[in-house]
Amino acid sequence: LGDFTTENRMLQWRNLAVDDVIEPFFAPDGSSPARAAHVAERAARRAVELADAGPVLLLVYTRLALMDGVPGALAPAIDHPAITLLFLGTESIGAGPPLLADLDAALTFALDRARQGLWPAIDPIRSYSNAFVDEAHRATATAARRLLLRCRDLQPIYENQGLAGFDNAFFEDDERHAIVRGRRLDRALTQLLFVAEAWTGAPGEFVPLARTLELARTVLAGEMDDVAEETLLFRTDWSPRWT
């Protein structure tokens, strides 16, 4: 939906170098719910066909997905184990329509991170996932989000006074640890992206979940407290011995 055509949508995907693996199904702006449902049904049917050969990502713009009849038309794809359904839109996590209330995961773009060059520019606090490997994974993710939230609340003090602001008797070690470790975890979660290679000049790299969890636990335990924040940017070969 929107002021786009199939051709310029594909141009967007070409700019990201993924147009060779994209099949668009397009409903122009002003389409009736019946036509939107028809487009969604065709897309879902094609996704099911492709899923016989391997995993499929079905991306649906929320302006389309929220129209009457569309959720039902997508049902075959929603229930297919080899299809991941991704809704893309401008809704706010926690304040979106009921259709988006029970997602397995949600990613919220963070403009402030993009301006700082911290990629991926995803808000680690407002985003979430319920796909945990085990309880240890859940515990680490929960602790990491709590730390990042506490760090965000303390950030104005750090911006005004630096770490010296936490030398005041009003603060305890917990506050100092939260800002030190939270900022390091924030930077440790950066990653070089494959789709950004043309702009950054640096090759993308896949980071295994196990490595990310181990790094998060290391930061949470304070083993990176003496490591310079900048050292943690876009690194995967991490070590507590960095200087």
Side-chain angles (χ1 to χ4, degrees):
L1 289 167
D3 297 327
F4 290 94
T5 64
T6 299
E7 289 72 23
N8 56 28
R9 281 292 190 198
M10 286 304 294
L11 181 60
Q12 289 183 319
W13 295 120
R14 189 173 302 121
N15 288 336
L16 296 174
V18 295
D19 57 301
D20 58 332
V21 294
I22 294 289
E23 285 194 32
F25 290 83
F26 183 73
D29 200 15
S31 295
S32 67
R35 181 171 183 182
H38 176 66
V39 170
E41 183 179 8
R42 288 174 50 221
R45 186 166 59 247
R46 179 56 176 157
V48 171
E49 293 174 358
L50 293 172
D52 291 337
V56 173
L57 174 64
L58 178 57
L59 189 154
V60 182
Y61 289 94
T62 53
R63 287 180 60 192
L64 174 68
L66 297 173
M67 296 181 73
D68 291 341
V70 172
L74 294 172
I78 294 174
D79 297 333
H80 199 292
I83 298 176
T84 298
L85 179 61
L86 174 63
F87 294 109
L88 177 64
T90 58
E91 286 72 23
S92 297
I93 301 302
L99 175 66
L100 307 179
D102 297 318
L103 300 177
D104 295 326
L107 299 177
T108 300
F109 179 73
L111 183 58
D112 59 328
R113 289 181 65 80
R115 286 171 172 165
Q116 296 176 67
L118 301 176
W119 304 100
I122 300 298
D123 189 324
I125 296 173
R126 298 185 66 205
S127 304
Y128 67 85
S129 172
N130 296 317
F132 300 109
V133 174
D134 50 32
E135 284 304 313
H137 181 189
R138 182 191 298 273
T140 300
T142 300
R145 293 185 75 226
R146 288 174 60 87
L147 173 64
L148 291 169
L149 179 58
R150 186 61 176 138
C151 179
R152 179 174 294 182
D153 286 345
L154 296 170
Q155 184 65 20
I157 300 170
Y158 180 84
E159 291 176 350
N160 289 331
Q161 304 176 54
L163 282 177
F166 296 90
D167 293 335
N168 189 300
F170 182 78
F171 295 104
E172 299 182 0
D173 288 343
D174 286 348
E175 281 81 12
R176 176 178 280 269
H177 289 160
I179 196 71
V180 168
R181 295 170 189 174
R183 287 177 60 84
R184 280 157 178 76
L185 180 59
D186 183 66
R187 280 131 182 87
L189 293 176
T190 55
Q191 179 182 350
L192 291 171
L193 305 177
F194 293 97
V195 296
E197 290 181 9
W199 294 274
T200 64
E205 184 170 355
F206 175 75
V207 182
L209 174 61
R211 189 184 301 174
T212 300
L213 291 175
E214 189 174 2
L215 174 55
R217 291 170 186 140
T218 300
V219 175
L220 288 165
E223 296 179 34
M224 294 287 195
D225 287 2
D226 296 326
V227 174
E229 294 175 7
E230 295 75 14
T231 310
L232 293 165
L233 287 169
F234 306 110
R235 295 289 294 268
T236 56
D237 57 335
W238 65 270
S239 168
R241 296 182 295 277
W242 285 340
T243 58

